[in-house]
Amino acid sequence: MVVTNTFLLIAQAAVYFTVMMSLLQARHSIGIGVFMCALGVMHFLETYLASVFYIELPFGIISPGSTILFSGKLLMILLLYIREDALVVRQPIYGLLIGNFLIVALVMILRSHDTVSVIPDRVPDIRFVDEMGWLMVWGTILLFIDAIAIIVLYERIGDAFGRHLGWRFLVCGAVVLTFDQAGFYLALRYVSGAPLSVFFGGWAAKMVATLLYTGFFVAYLRFFDEKAKWLTHRSFRDVFHVLTYRERYYDLLETSGRDHLTGVHHRRSYDLNGPKILQESLAAGRSITMLVIDIDHFKLVNDRLGHQAGDEVLKAIAGLLNENLRAEDHLYRFGGEEFVLLCDRLAPEAAMGMAERIRKLIEKFGIIYLPEKVTVSVGVASAPEDGDNLEALFQTADQRLYRAKHMGRNRVCGPAVQD
């Protein structure tokens, strides 16, 4: 019996891989939708088999639904990503999530019907449907997390494994399916009281399934396709943003004139709106001042603590500046670690006081809240004394900023300090 079960599982995996890879290979002629539909219709069967259908193998009791079908689906999602990109693969990921939630919602409505018996002794098993529904919800959430995790992990370990696609495929499958087995077993334990042997047997079976699918994949690359076509080197952070639709958020910020990291207005908004603000102020005879603010030794922050810590510093400084703006102030991230503050209705003397207050505030904030001391240097210029157009005003403020840097940093240089 054990030997028969083992051979049947291998046959199921071979059939599943062969059919799905054929659909993936033929996607340009028959459409990617065929592959996605074939991927999606299997989920109910996977969940059903995982909840009630078990077989015995040498290393324990397992379910083909969880071992062969679910593992195969997750690895097929990874292969779809490798062959296409994150924009394509997120379609089945979100489609499965929404579709299975829809099934559960409809079942909740269907269970309220008053049913009649058409076939003697055959009535709907609502209790089983309820159990299946909650298992499908939990399994769908796990699949959603698994699918994103396995893709991001695949790119994250790319530098370590380079061109060894088989090893990348194997490691990603083993890590994510281990997490999935732990998560799904908790649900099975709660719903049906599954013994601990189901967890260990299922985990061992999923590891064997990962090895089996990896072997199929390596053989496929060797005999049926060119390995070079499957090599990818994409930023795992960018991939994560696409998979979670963060790039749509960035697009929204871009169209609203905001920098995606700090949330303040970006350079394009400065180029577009800055001249209008300046000219309107000059035409009305109002004072207007520009502050160019640069974080001191920011490159050292990135080098010592990493770019992620550097991003956190930028966001913190931008947030602090935002909190201390007047209604007439306009804050822009000019580039890198440099910000421009355009202050309407602010005379040069008052602007120097404002710049000094900002400098002290950031210095104090950096000591208390940031991973290491952070200071800024500030250059101040006013119109029309220092320039009657945006470019001239910025050039003067920028020269004074560099004067502040040369004078020792963490200081303000403006009209009161001769250039």
Side-chain angles (χ1 to χ4, degrees):
M1 179 180 67
V2 171
V3 174
T4 302
N5 285 337
T6 302
F7 279 112
L8 287 173
L9 285 176
I10 294 174
Q12 292 166 31
V15 170
Y16 186 91
F17 184 87
T18 301
V19 173
M20 294 305 297
M21 283 301 292
S22 298
L23 295 178
L24 183 61
Q25 184 73 6
R27 68 195 182 283
H28 294 305
S29 57
I30 64 176
I32 193 67
V34 179
F35 175 87
M36 291 184 180
C37 287
L39 198 68
V41 296
M42 302 294 292
H43 193 71
F44 184 85
L45 179 61
E46 295 162 15
T47 309
Y48 172 76
L49 293 177
S51 62
V52 300
F53 192 94
Y54 299 98
I55 62 174
E56 187 176 353
L57 290 180
F59 40 75
I61 299 172
I62 66 102
S63 170
S66 179
T67 302
I68 299 300
L69 301 184
F70 182 84
S71 300
K73 168 179 283 184
L74 185 61
L75 295 172
M76 281 298 155
I77 287 175
L78 176 59
L79 291 179
L80 175 62
Y81 161 75
I82 298 171
R83 205 65 187 91
E84 291 288 335
D85 55 31
L87 283 172
V88 173
V89 79
R90 74 182 179 188
Q91 297 175 41
I93 292 175
Y94 283 87
L96 288 166
L97 180 71
I98 296 169
N100 284 290
F101 282 151
L102 177 61
I103 289 175
V104 174
L106 292 175
V107 167
M108 293 299 104
I109 298 173
L110 287 170
R111 68 195 304 274
S112 300
H113 279 293
D114 293 324
T115 60
V116 296
S117 179
V118 176
I119 302 174
D121 301 323
R122 293 289 297 273
V123 294
D125 187 352
I126 298 299
R127 183 183 62 82
F128 176 72
V129 171
D130 287 343
E131 289 181 1
M132 280 290 298
W134 290 116
L135 277 177
M136 287 190 70
V137 168
W138 184 240
T140 300
I141 293 172
L142 280 176
L143 175 62
F144 178 77
I145 297 171
D146 293 343
I148 292 177
I150 198 170
I151 291 168
V152 173
L153 180 61
Y154 181 84
E155 293 298 352
R156 187 69 179 88
I157 66 175
D159 291 337
F161 290 97
R163 300 174 63 86
H164 300 289
L165 295 182
W167 281 110
R168 289 173 73 179
F169 189 78
L170 178 64
V171 170
C172 291
V175 170
V176 176
L177 284 169
T178 296
F179 164 79
D180 177 82
Q181 178 65 12
F184 196 72
Y185 172 75
L186 291 176
L188 278 178
R189 180 80 176 182
Y190 177 78
V191 170
S192 59
L196 196 59
S197 59
V198 171
F199 168 76
F200 289 111
W203 175 81
K206 283 183 177 178
M207 296 303 100
V208 173
T210 305
L211 279 169
L212 192 60
Y213 281 121
T214 301
F216 290 157
F217 178 49
V218 171
Y220 171 81
L221 291 180
R222 181 171 182 179
F223 298 109
F224 300 104
D225 209 339
E226 297 178 21
K227 183 179 178 180
K229 294 180 180 178
W230 292 78
L231 292 172
T232 66
H233 188 70
R234 303 159 183 154
S235 166
F236 71 94
R237 182 179 297 181
D238 291 343
V239 168
F240 177 78
H241 287 163
V242 173
L243 291 174
T244 55
Y245 283 87
R246 288 282 293 174
E247 98 285 1
R248 297 296 177 89
Y249 169 68
Y250 294 155
D251 289 345
L252 179 62
L253 287 176
E254 183 70 19
T255 56
S256 65
R258 299 274 176 179
D259 172 59
H260 73 267
L261 177 64
T262 62
V264 304
H265 293 291
H266 54 42
R267 173 67 182 272
R268 188 180 302 173
S269 181
Y270 167 86
D271 292 335
L272 182 64
N273 298 320
K276 298 177 184 177
I277 296 170
L278 177 62
Q279 293 307 315
E280 287 176 3
S281 181
L282 292 176
R286 301 192 299 264
S287 298
I288 183 167
T289 303
M290 175 184 289
L291 279 63
V292 179
I293 305 165
D294 188 86
I295 301 175
D296 296 324
H297 298 300
F298 184 71
K299 185 178 183 300
L300 295 180
V301 175
N302 279 335
D303 292 343
R304 282 197 295 264
L305 303 177
H307 287 279
Q308 186 172 354
D311 288 348
E312 294 303 318
V313 169
L314 284 171
K315 289 190 285 187
I317 297 300
L320 196 61
L321 291 172
N322 249 331
E323 292 171 3
N324 289 273
L325 295 184
R326 305 171 307 140
E328 299 88 354
D329 297 337
H330 307 271
L331 178 64
Y332 306 91
R333 184 183 178 194
F334 194 77
E337 67 273 21
E338 193 170 66
F339 297 88
V340 171
L341 185 56
L342 199 56
C343 307
D344 199 4
R345 303 177 190 273
L346 191 66
E349 298 80 7
M352 288 294 293
M354 180 179 184
E356 187 63 27
R357 187 171 65 255
I358 287 174
R359 182 194 66 79
K360 292 179 179 178
L361 186 65
I362 291 174
E363 182 179 23
K364 183 178 179 181
F365 181 86
I367 294 173
I368 299 174
Y369 297 106
L370 295 180
E372 63 177 59
K373 181 180 178 181
V374 173
T375 62
V376 296
S377 298
V378 186
V380 182
S382 298
E385 297 86 356
D386 297 315
D388 58 1
N389 61 70
L390 196 66
E391 184 178 354
L393 194 63
F394 176 82
Q395 185 175 5
T396 302
D398 196 49
Q399 289 172 353
R400 288 171 177 164
L401 167 67
Y402 278 96
R403 178 65 182 268
K405 296 278 189 183
H406 290 311
M407 293 171 66
R409 293 182 170 81
N410 190 23
R411 64 184 62 226
V412 175
C413 186
V417 180
Q418 295 300 317
D419 298 325

